[in-house]
Amino acid sequence: MDVGMTLPVMEPDVDPALLREWAERIDAGPYGSLCFGERIAFDNPDILTLLGAVAAWTSRVRLSATVVVPQLHDPVHLAKALATADRLCGGRLSVGLGVGGREEDYAAVGADWGTRTMAGLAERAAVLRRVWAGENLTGATRPVGPRPHRPNGPELLVGTLGRRTTQHAARWADGLAGMTLGADVDETAALFDVARAAWADAGRPAPRLTTSLWFALAEASDDPRAQVHAHLRHYMNWLPVELVDALAPTAGFAGTLAELDDLLDRFAEIGTDEVQLIPTGGDPRQVDLVADLVAGRAQSTGVMPSRCRFASSA
């Protein structure tokens, strides 16, 4: 099982130099993916612009745009941007597509909240694939390019926590970009079972199964649970503060590296392909602390993280 690390893009006042430091440390470590997602009505970096930067800052690690909401973009332009990113990083791009859960993001770009449907998501995924295949969808003198680095384009995962969306996405997605609010292994296992069954019923190859969770380490924080709580107060600004405060005591993971190791073991046992950790603070020491843990896990099993093998053979 691989472990991915998310950039601290949802922290307040993120400095570009800090993002680059995180990216370079992640790329130098044993991580499977460098991850980040999309929001519009927030102070995080634009996801498509940041993809270009991390493509330049890294050379090995998979770049996982964990959640892109295609309804917030013109689909042909989005296909062009993602194909460009895939070329810039040499085919290391993975894209999670989801409908999003914040109406204010739709309003900020004048998108129709009524398009937030599973059918709409599938239609936009199909447009991406058709543009990447070289179809001329615009009637212009040339098809919209560039072609992506890989012939079929970047890996497309469905970003969801829901069973129905997972089942519907078996028609078009390569796998699941999941999220577990409470680092709940049993809940994740149940969703993975839904995905495996849906992909098999659709006659598709077995799906790639990933999940993500917030984390804070006792080795890098005086009070890791308080760190998670403070992060959620900032990140979940669209929710009533009372609801955030009720969620915070059980959200994500807050504990020691040894306890995180045990949790990763449990995710590995249910067949997780990758756990993607979401930091709740900007201290880059977290990257190195978890890197040592991941390296130790790989050494104990004699199996290197899969993207390391991919990068060395590419």
Side-chain angles (χ1 to χ4, degrees), residues 96-138:
L97 297 181
V99 296
R102 290 172 288 271
E103 189 169 2
E104 63 182 11
D105 282 353
Y106 279 71
V109 296
D112 181 1
W113 183 247
T115 64
R116 186 179 174 269
T117 65
M118 291 178 283
L121 189 62
E123 290 168 3
R124 286 161 174 78
V127 170
L128 298 180
R129 294 291 193 201
R130 291 175 65 190
V131 172
W132 294 338
E135 289 190 42
N136 190 336
L137 303 186
T138 67

Side-chain angles (χ1 to χ4, degrees), residues 44-91:
N44 62 303
D46 173 69
I47 192 169
L48 299 176
T49 306
L50 186 56
L51 274 174
V54 296
W57 294 340
T58 64
S59 61
R60 177 198 66 81
V61 72
R62 182 199 300 256
L63 306 182
S64 293
T66 48
V67 180
V68 175
V69 180
Q71 287 88 338
L72 304 180
H73 305 268
D74 175 85
V76 174
H77 192 194
L78 179 60
K80 184 180 183 75
L82 293 174
T84 300
D86 195 51
R87 290 186 69 86
L88 289 173
C89 72

Side-chain angles (χ1 to χ4, degrees), residues 217-241:
L217 294 174
E219 289 83 353
S221 173
D222 293 335
D223 190 340
R225 178 50 61 187
Q227 178 178 307
V228 172
H229 194 162
H231 173 83
L232 296 185
R233 276 278 191 103
H234 177 69
Y235 174 68
M236 292 185 155
N237 65 305
W238 76 96
L239 295 175
V241 67

Side-chain angles (χ1 to χ4, degrees), residues 46 154 184 192 208 216 218:
D46 173 69
D184 191 320
F192 284 179
R208 182 165 180 259

Side-chain angles (χ1 to χ4, degrees), residues 6-206:
T6 304
L7 294 180
V9 293
M10 302 301 177
E11 290 298 298
D13 302 318
V14 177
D15 183 83
L18 181 65
L19 290 180
R20 180 167 187 166
E21 181 178 359
W22 272 69
E24 291 175 345
R25 290 192 187 204
I26 293 168
D27 194 48
Y31 292 103
S33 292
L34 179 157
C35 316
F36 49 93
E38 176 170 53
R39 284 188 67 177
I40 301 295
F42 202 65
D43 53 2
N44 62 303
D46 173 69
I47 192 169
L48 299 176
T49 306
L50 186 56
L51 274 174
V54 296
W57 294 340
T58 64
S59 61
R60 177 198 66 81
V61 72
R62 182 199 300 256
L63 306 182
S64 293
T66 48
V67 180
V68 175
V69 180
Q71 287 88 338
L72 304 180
H73 305 268
D74 175 85
V76 174
H77 192 194
L78 179 60
K80 184 180 183 75
L82 293 174
T84 300
D86 195 51
R87 290 186 69 86
L88 289 173
C89 72
R92 292 182 285 127
L93 180 61
S94 173
V95 180
L97 297 181
V99 296
R102 290 172 288 271
E103 189 169 2
E104 63 182 11
D105 282 353
Y106 279 71
V109 296
D112 181 1
W113 183 247
T115 64
R116 186 179 174 269
T117 65
M118 291 178 283
L121 189 62
E123 290 168 3
R124 286 161 174 78
V127 170
L128 298 180
R129 294 291 193 201
R130 291 175 65 190
V131 172
W132 294 338
E135 289 190 42
N136 190 336
L137 303 186
T138 67
T141 54
R142 297 180 62 88
V144 171
R147 290 287 190 94
H149 179 85
R150 285 173 287 178
N152 296 323
E155 170 184 76
L156 289 182
L157 307 179
V158 59
T160 185
L161 287 71
R163 299 170 67 93
R164 290 186 61 229
T165 306
T166 299
Q167 291 168 330
H168 194 275
R171 309 172 192 177
W172 59 266
D174 299 312
L176 179 65
M179 166 74 180
T180 171
L181 299 178
D184 191 320
V185 177
D186 292 337
E187 178 184 75
T188 302
L191 189 60
F192 284 179
D193 286 344
V194 170
R196 292 186 184 101
W199 262 251
D201 290 344
R204 302 284 311 286

